[in-house]
Amino acid sequence: MKINHLGIAAKSIEEALKFWADGLGLENVHTEVVEDQKVRVAMLPIGESRIELLEPTSEDSPISKFLEKRGGGIHHIAIEVEDINAALAHLKAQGARLIDESPRVGAEDCLVAFVHPASTNGVLLELVESK
Ligand code: ZN
């Protein structure tokens, strides 16, 4: 397993890129809107992992709520797994609280599923199975 990406909530991706790209020197290699999650994401590779900047696309986006409460910050950690269905079944059997019982399609057409912070010491965890 490895960290696929760290999701960071931002009011504006353009604004955030002034630090992460222009300042720090990371490259924004991919931007897309994930309608299902009401976010626009920008992916910036860093080593074998990536920074995922998340900008809300509507007032009722989960990221809007997060920004209202906290003003920004690390929204989730995404771990890459080989078989997301097997990982979900295993976690469920272990008693973990799942937000997604079955995977959905996330950014870059990966399969993703979220695990509730109640089961992860307070961190929203995303499981990712790459194509
Ligand atoms: Zn993510």
Side-chain angles (χ1 to χ4, degrees), residues 5 7-8 13 16 18 22 27 31-32 42 46-47 61 66-68 85-87 97 104-105 111 117 124 130:
H5 62 264
I8 296 177
I13 284 177
K18 286 180 189 165
D22 303 345
E27 190 188 356
T31 305
E32 88 176 82
I46 179 164
S61 164
F66 184 87
L67 288 169
E68 268 166 40
N85 285 298
R97 186 165 155 198
R104 46 189 164 136
V105 177
L111 290 176
L124 179 60
S130 295

Side-chain angles (χ1 to χ4, degrees), residues 5 52 76 126:
H5 62 264
E52 177 186 64
H76 64 271
E126 180 183 11

Side-chain angles (χ1 to χ4, degrees), residues 5-7 37 43 52 54 76 78 114 126 128:
H5 62 264
L6 300 176
Q37 292 168 43
M43 290 289 192
E52 177 186 64
L54 299 149
H76 64 271
F114 286 90
E126 180 183 11
V128 180

